[in-house]
Amino acid sequence: MCPPPDSVASDAAAHRHTPLQALRHLDTGPRGLTEPEAAARLAATGENTLPERRTTPWHRLFLRSLRDPFTAVLLCLGLVSALVASWGTAAVILALVAVSCVLRAGGEQRADRSLHDLRELVGSTACVLRRAEAGAQVRAREIPVAELVPGDVVRLGPGDLVPADLRLLRASGLTVHQAPLTGESAPVAKAAVELPGAADEFPFAQPHLCFQGSGVVSGSATAVVLETGARTRLAAAHGGPVRRGPSAFDRSVHGVSWVLIRFMLLTPPLVLMANAALRGRGLTTLPFAVAVAVGLTPEMLPVIVTTCLARGAALLARTHGVVVRRLPALHDLGAVDVLCLDKTGTLTQDRPVVERALGPDGRDDPDVLDRAATAAWWTLQLADAPVPDALDEALLTAAGPVGEEYDGIAAVPFDPLRRLASAVVRGAALGTHTLIVKGAVEDVVERCLLQPGERDRLLALATREAESGLRLLAVATAELPARTRAYTPADERGLTFRGLVTFHDAIDPAAPEALRALADLGIGVRILTGDHPATAARVCRELGLVPGQVRVSARCTPQDKARAVTDLRAAGHTVGFLGDGLNDVPALRAADVGIAPRAAVDVAREAADVVLAGKDLTAIRHAVTAGRHSSANIASYLQVTFSSNLGNVIAMLAAGLLLPFLPMLPAQVLAQNLCFDAAQLAFAHDRPSAAALRRPTELRPRAFLRFITGFGALNAVADLATFAVLALALRGPDAVDDEVLFHSAWFTENLLTQALVMLLLRTGRSLAEGGGPGPVGWAAAVLAAVGLLLPPSPLGAALGMTGLALPYYLLLAAVLGLYALALRGLRSTRGLYSCAT
């Protein structure tokens, strides 16, 4: 006995067998399996059920979140702060760590539930042919779908769900709804015989195969089971979590985190060793060293990132019906520089439109359209078709009310084997019937009476039209004597060729403007389609796209789409993919951002990171803009906080070595850090300038390091200049002994410089753009006020500070004025977005 195939790939050859060969390959027959054979195969292959995905417990997801480098460093700092009795700092840091881990664990747990909707695509029972034993009578009976095995012979009827992957043995008028698999809106005709060239098409397009997850719309069939359970296309296409590389968000956050980690790991040891060697203070400076390291840490990063992304996602959902299922995906949208999509339903309206009706001489002939529409009308009426197919609907729309003036006699519906459909109407002459045949050009021409050489001329005419990207339908007629005997496909011969009807895909009116808008945003579009290259090229021409503006890949299988996305990511692009069928799931998962319309199949929608209200490029443009808005605010926050904090840390290290006392008390360092962090919450509400939205935004760690090093060094120079001024003001350079006054002046100077950095390095709208001071401007003003008013207040006294005399404020104003000029100069030379591209 031949063992059942153990994978989709291993049985690819069986998909291309004739019905008899398929039965032999599976060691079965038209009468099906015996009960003992079925039981043995069930034990070998397992039940025909979709695989259960083991979900990770929530507490494990929470602990796994601690592996994030930034989260781990924050946790360590929180624990160290607790060890040195800095309870306030420890509480804030550990609370932020907990919030970050809860958010990450919750998102991963939601992603684990995506297999549930698949089970609704599989029926509970199936009609199978089984025998009690060899030689016994065959019985058709209902069994649980879970008990089906490869080699079983099943029967299908209207309303049935296809219970497994099947190879048709016999079929009569069978049409199936494959939307859960491919996203196609119209039913697809199926036939038991493989068509020439079908092996070159991806599986869902092969007419002799039916796949689990499809539904029977009309007709009946007998089929043999090829694959069950985890080996079906439905299960294989869904699969498990794809191990794709890190997304744009992951690359940005992890890259910045490691820059931070290097500084943080270096800072405390340097402070301890320098103070021990030069000042003999040793471990007594441990609280100060921890405070300096905490001062370098952007504790508000998780809060600001989450707030920026959550606000952008909420605005998208409220105004454009776009649902962001994974918050970091909004940042990834802002970084997308290549968008991959299928043309059908996105650039086109998912429906054909009649282009022209041509006579045999290639000239316009409206009678050809009328005949084709008449045949479509009576086929729909007499063949009891559930709905008109897309071409018939286009014919009826273009021709208007035709066909009703005739008396319909009979119809021979379309089947994919002969690729024709026919209608019989009462003829103009008494006692005659007119047979109208429409279908594939080669099949219609083959049945026509033609002069020598005429066949080649008509096929050449059809080839020219097809090469221009048009779909073709040939029309022929025959005058027959009236009769009562039923009409069959055998009557489709001796025809008179009448002409061709050509169709093109209806262009979405909004598509050209949407493509231009995407190009203005710096996003390249790549079309991945299963259509003929000429059809795709024609759509591009109708959209007004010049060669090279949009790259087109035609005849794409689902694997080709996923491979194209993977190759683009490997080349350094951030890729978005728009898809709506099960065949799009691999590419949706392979992309940095998977995008699906709300009408997509459940599995595609679950695999997507972003769900649109419709399959609309305009909505994607809005989503990209929202992503860049959030990313620009996050980048602005990171630039400001790291530049300022790095400068302060450098200055504190230098001052700690030069002063006979700590340059700032640990409590003062933490108070200053808290004030600065609180002010920076305003970045989550800022409005970026137009320049920040014009191109993809992704933080580059090396460029980011250069940026913060340059501006951080400038900030350190300002701090050290303040130190020098204070040294000269407090009894000369060698007698700086007023600790309280020094701490107070430096505390004030630090908050004022941080307020200047917030104003001058922000990416928000300038006054010229109508932005006004904005949230960041007002927050900077409050921060400056705190720097001036806190030291002389009772709270300042509790922190060991005092008010300053007027001359000190004048000295600080001079230093800050020079610092502001230098900051603007460096900003103009380095560019506003030097760490983001």
Side-chain angles (χ1 to χ4, degrees), residues 597-625:
R598 191 172 299 167
V601 302
D602 291 337
V603 181
R605 198 166 57 246
E606 286 295 327
D609 303 302
V610 177
V611 178
L612 309 177
K615 204 171 181 181
D616 181 11
L617 290 181
T618 303
I620 295 179
R621 185 194 68 187
H622 292 307
V624 167
T625 302

Side-chain angles (χ1 to χ4, degrees), residues 750-762:
N750 275 335
L751 290 188
L752 292 177
T753 55
Q754 287 168 337
L756 281 175
V757 169
M758 288 180 64
L759 283 175
L760 298 180
L761 292 189
R762 65 187 283 260

